[in-house]
Amino acid sequence: MRLAFLRTGSVSLGDCYGLDHFVARDGKWWHSAIQFTFGLVPNEHIWFTALPRKGVCWERLGNVGAYDMLNVPVTPEQELAAHRFAVSQIGRPYDWRGMLGVGNGNGAYCTEVVVETMQAIGLFPDLEACKQHAAEFYAIARKTFEG
């Protein structure tokens, strides 16, 4: 399993987000997603994330080179549990207000649902998922998984 963090300025999602500059305020990364390793088809970059107008979903990443990747060292059982949690979240509405820490609890934005998925398997239990920004979470995950 691995995490992907989209680098600020590498791809313009302005028409999709409308919040590029605000969201990217805190650092180099402004979108996150999870890729599960089982059942992987080479060059089929299908990721679990949340997007405006789609909500929590499976999404094909276009320019994979625009992302920084972190491998998440988990057992096959943990990855399966994370996948089951992810599947249970599909269709949940997108709510960008969570980036401000004021989401309504029903929806989720990309990093929020990524952190919640990690928490479903016991990782990052002390983080408030609804208050994590991609840049902040990247720093925490990188320190955790790469030292």
Side-chain angles (χ1 to χ4, degrees):
M1 187 164 67
R2 62 185 182 161
L3 302 176
F5 295 87
L6 181 64
R7 288 187 296 278
T8 302
S10 57
V11 174
S12 176
L13 295 179
D15 63 326
C16 185
Y17 283 84
L19 298 169
D20 292 273
H21 300 292
F22 173 75
V23 175
R25 77 195 187 286
D26 292 332
K28 186 178 173 184
W29 303 273
W30 62 281
H31 178 65
S32 58
I34 300 174
Q35 184 181 46
F36 296 97
T37 57
F38 56 84
L40 206 60
V41 177
N43 300 315
E44 289 288 324
H45 301 284
I46 307 296
W47 297 80
F48 174 70
T49 191
L51 295 169
R53 297 190 297 255
K54 290 187 176 185
V56 178
C57 62
W58 298 107
E59 182 69 17
R60 177 170 283 135
L61 294 187
N63 182 4
V64 176
Y67 289 79
D68 287 331
M69 308 292 184
L70 292 176
N71 290 318
V72 181
V74 294
T75 65
E77 294 79 16
Q78 285 176 303
E79 185 168 356
L80 182 59
H83 185 269
R84 284 185 182 135
F85 178 83
V87 168
S88 77
Q89 299 300 300
I90 298 297
R92 187 173 166 193
Y94 184 83
D95 185 2
W96 63 268
R97 295 171 298 174
M99 290 179 267
L100 305 175
V102 295
N104 65 16
N106 296 326
Y109 61 98
C110 60
T111 304
E112 180 178 8
V113 77
V114 167
V115 172
E116 288 173 349
T117 303
M118 297 291 96
Q119 290 175 333
I121 59 170
L123 299 173
F124 308 109
D126 297 329
L127 293 183
E128 286 187 78
C130 67
K131 294 184 179 178
Q132 294 303 305
H133 181 276
E136 297 159 349
F137 184 55
Y138 176 83
I140 293 166
R142 185 170 183 209
K143 183 176 181 182
T144 301
F145 300 132
E146 294 183 352

